[in-house]
Amino acid sequence: MLGKTLKALLVGTTIVAGASAANAETFRWAFQGDAQTLDPHGLFETLTLGFQGNIYEGLVKRNDKMEIVGALAESWENIEPTVWRFKLRPGVKFHNGNDLKADDVVFSVNRLNTEGSDMKVVAALIKEAKAVDDLTVDIITPTPNPILPNQFEIFYIMDKQWAEENKATEATNVKGGDEGNHANLNANGTGPFIVKSRQTGVKTVLTRNPDYWDKNMRSNVTEAIFTPIAQDATRVAALISGNVDLAYPMPVQDWKRLESAEGVKPLAGPEARTIFLGFDQLRDELTASNIKGKNPFKDVRVRKAFIHAINVDAIKQKVMRGASIPAGLMVAPQINGYSAAMNARPAYDIEAAKKLMQEAGYADGFEVTMDCPNDRYVNDEQICQASAAMLAKINVKVNLLAQTKSKYFGKVLAQNGYDTSFFLLGWTPSTFDSHNVISSLIACRGGEDKIGSFNLGGYCNPKINELTAKIQSETDQAKRQAMIDEVFKIHQDEVGHIPLHQQPLSWGVSDKVEVVQRPDNQFDLRYAVVKK
Amino acid sequence: MLTFIAKRLVQSILVMLTVGLIAFSLFRYVGDPINNMVGQDTSLEERVELKEKLGLNDGFLLQFGRFAVNAAQGNFGFSYQHRRPVSDLIAERLPATLELSLVSAFLAMAIGIPMGVYTAIRRNSWLSHSFMTLSLVGISLPTFLIGILLILLFGVVLRWLPTFGRGDVVQLGWWSTGLLTASGLKSLIMPAITLALFQMTLIMRLVRSEMLEVMRTDFVKFARARGLAERYVNFVVALKNTMVPVITITGLQLGSIIAFAIITESVFQWPGMGLLFIQAVGNVDIPIMAAYLVLIAFFFVVINLIVDMLYVVVDPRLRVDSAGGH
């Protein structure tokens, strides 16, 4: 045993020596915005959590193939239906030199529930965390939860002692009264990179953690510099001129330019984000239509007519430059619960659509206002314009209201009473599981189960809420999949929404580096390699 | 003189209050900040609670009153996006904007005034004609286009200059300066030219037309008749008398340079206050927007005050008046 440890130690030392002998490799990258905080429990948002993932780590992580693998936990098992036991990796140290212990995990679970935390959704998955010994933690869930490890990827572990020393035992509170929470601008994780300096909104410099536990990490980067660049044109120029090695997102219309420019190339792939249209099916009269006294979208024939009238392939060719993937389901292929057999879309068929409109009594069509963001998704406003033009063929006059995302979300979300009749929205389930999509977008809203909060159109079939609860706790994967399929079948038959496509990820990379593009648009420095 | 300054300072407070009031009445139309502050899975209850806690449900007069009282005590609140005190953020970004603006203003004057004088004296030389044509381009092209064109030429094609940012900065106390490092100076060139171009052409045209006016006056003719050197007549007698309107305009333009640095800063990702503001607008970060607008109003007022005082230095007639007459 001792010999083995010694050998491991020796191997470790040689690799470290090898790494330090290599030249300094600097990696510079740019995104359109900055991580809003370094506090790992401060904001549940892709860029922020993805950026923090280079500094902090969770019990599990996703590798370059998006599989869940161990990070701070070496192994885990569902010892009882409601108890998950995680075995921590021995010898892991925080950047300040403290050892990772089960206490830190328990502390982090509790921190998820503090007032400023934006991770209360994750906190709600946990009833209690118990340290069994220094390297074993039991996570007790309120109901059986078969996908808990999947939901834990973005739950990062903080050092209890460091948080106490720096008065950061509560999550950074955006509501104020917590000015200068140490964890907002400083970080002490276990990850491969250490924060060297940070000026919010301007520049963050990371240096490699020499004591990182994973000696097989692919990256050879020793220093990483992150700069937010808000303007598309400036970001593209920064990449082409060689001022950054990776920049994203790149405007889809600039791909040709990136291809022809020397030393850079576009890196495109399907994003796990599904873009869809939805309609108000709840109100008895639409708020923004010329039809009074009734709601045409309550009639499934009208909704079916809409889905037949929208030519997704044309949107793909003309608006998305061939880079989107038409969708029939509300989830992307990367999402757990996706079923290829069910992803077919109803055919584009104007005649069928006209006939359905006639049967529903709207042969002359009607007028409706469409809410659309113009800076949230890839070419969002153009998609809405194209859809409006297509719907004109079945005599539906769409008045397009395309606005910046703050205005758009301020209008259509729950806080404003779901003020929309017809809208475009996009969704990536944060857990990479269909349950998140069903419970957020498809289930009836306003019930006691408090789900369906992003079901902006108020589509409702009580059977789906029943199934949602069962999917949540079903541990048999086959049974679970059958129930997910059933939900999607009902939703498709009733045309609860009109899925359009998965939008493309659009990055630009220098030929000098190699990176892995994750379908959730996260960038992981662990897989960034600067070529010699 | 002192009463004059005191009066102007009182006026300036009124101006700032008015700007603040107008700003707050507009903030209700910029959208909902909450969605930018929480993740997509955050529950409705928490969103509603957050909005209530931030005081966003209050009437705009109440919100403005709260802001004015806090601002009077030097507290500009807490940025929604950066989660830091706004005063810290502004102090961090102010040097970048001021350096850029002052260098631009200097460039505009150092090039614009000689060009104006030259085109006035040698009205028909080919160089004057080309200056005039160039100035037309400068005055008619929008700032962002000039910025993008410069980036394309010197950043992407020639690769002489960095395309964004401020380069390495040196910290002098709380002031960060890019003027002391090579990368800082290189980064400054394109934004400064972009920002200066419009002002430069404006100053050139102004100096030219004023100069032409003054050259026709009797005292310049007499100066010539006395046999004074041509150079003395042009640069001392004539130029000095064209300076009053030029000082007014350049002074006021310094205010607009600082304010309109927004566009240049966002094209070059220059980490100044303008960039901070434009990002705040996108994210509905009300505390930053409010503080920035009031601060810019303050700059305008102070610059106006300095301009008024400079008149006295340049124009002897005003000096005599303010001293209480003969």
Side-chain angles (χ1 to χ4, degrees), chain A residues 55 492 519:
Chain A
I55 303 155
Q492 278 178 336

Side-chain angles (χ1 to χ4, degrees), chain A residues 233-246:
Chain A
T234 313
R235 201 161 52 245
V236 174
L239 177 76
I240 297 180
S241 64
N243 284 298
V244 296
D245 302 314
L246 162 69

Side-chain angles (χ1 to χ4, degrees), chain A residues 508-525:
Chain A
V509 284
S510 157
D511 291 342
K512 282 183 268 175
V513 299
E514 261 169 35
V515 297
V516 169
Q517 184 177 44
R518 282 177 50 152
D520 55 359
N521 212 17
Q522 281 193 20
F523 166 63
D524 191 343
L525 271 173

